[in-house]
Amino acid sequence: IRHDDGEGTDLERGTDGWQIYADIAPSQGELIFEKQYNSAFHKTELRDYLNSKKTDTIMIVGLQTEYCMDATIKTAFDYEYKIIIPEEANTTFDNEYFTGEKLYQFYNYKIWNKRFADVIPVDAAVEILKSNLFE
């Protein structure tokens, strides 16, 4: 999923901020879904794609914990996907009310875990991926 926040922003299409980080860039032939809203499902083809693959479990990682991650997780929950969130695989920034660390802790362990998703150790997430659960 790649976010285009519009002209004049740090995430404007074609800017460095819009690019997918090289270490996690999709392989040749893997799809990129472009989004302009917090939820990766809103006005994208993501749900249709997942349904076409008969996907019932999704692992969600990314930026920004209290915006795109939260909206995507809650939408996926509404669509009845099983959601896995690897620990330390989402992040955010300090704001005028909370530190990024407090936001991370609050969303991962007070809002999402055992309500909307399962927050699990990253090693366990890697083992799930190795087991080909997502093929």
Side-chain angles (χ1 to χ4, degrees):
I1 306 296
R2 180 170 44 203
H3 189 88
D4 176 2
D5 219 11
E7 191 173 328
T9 67
D10 290 340
L11 300 177
E12 177 182 353
R13 180 182 297 275
T15 64
D16 286 344
W18 174 80
Q19 300 298 328
I20 296 174
Y21 186 63
D23 287 351
I24 60 168
S27 299
Q28 182 90 13
E30 288 185 317
L31 297 176
I32 298 173
F33 292 91
E34 303 286 349
K35 70 180 188 69
Q36 296 180 317
Y37 302 94
N38 286 337
S39 174
F41 290 95
H42 188 71
K43 296 188 179 184
T44 71
E45 300 298 319
L46 179 59
R47 184 176 183 203
D48 291 338
Y49 173 76
L50 294 173
N51 288 342
S52 76
K53 298 287 189 181
K54 298 187 182 351
T55 301
D56 63 358
T57 303
I58 57 178
M59 189 175 292
I60 301 179
V61 303
L63 178 76
Q64 187 168 348
T65 301
E66 72 276 26
Y67 293 116
C68 298
M69 290 284 300
D70 187 54
T72 299
I73 288 163
K74 289 175 179 171
T75 301
F77 176 83
D78 286 343
Y79 289 149
E80 300 182 350
Y81 291 103
K82 178 180 185 211
I83 304 156
I84 298 169
I85 303 168
E87 291 178 329
E88 299 182 28
N90 64 84
T91 190
T92 192
F93 307 99
D94 295 350
N95 65 37
E96 63 271 25
Y97 302 105
F98 302 102
T99 65
E101 180 61 25
K102 288 281 188 195
L103 283 165
Y104 170 86
Q105 295 291 328
F106 178 73
Y107 278 90
N108 281 268
Y109 302 112
K110 288 292 194 182
I111 300 296
W112 300 332
N113 195 35
K114 305 300 181 216
R115 289 188 173 110
F116 297 97
D118 291 320
V119 178
I120 64 173
V122 72
D123 292 344
V126 169
E127 288 304 313
I128 290 170
L129 293 172
K130 285 180 180 178
S131 75
N132 297 316
L133 175 67
F134 294 103
E135 281 192 355

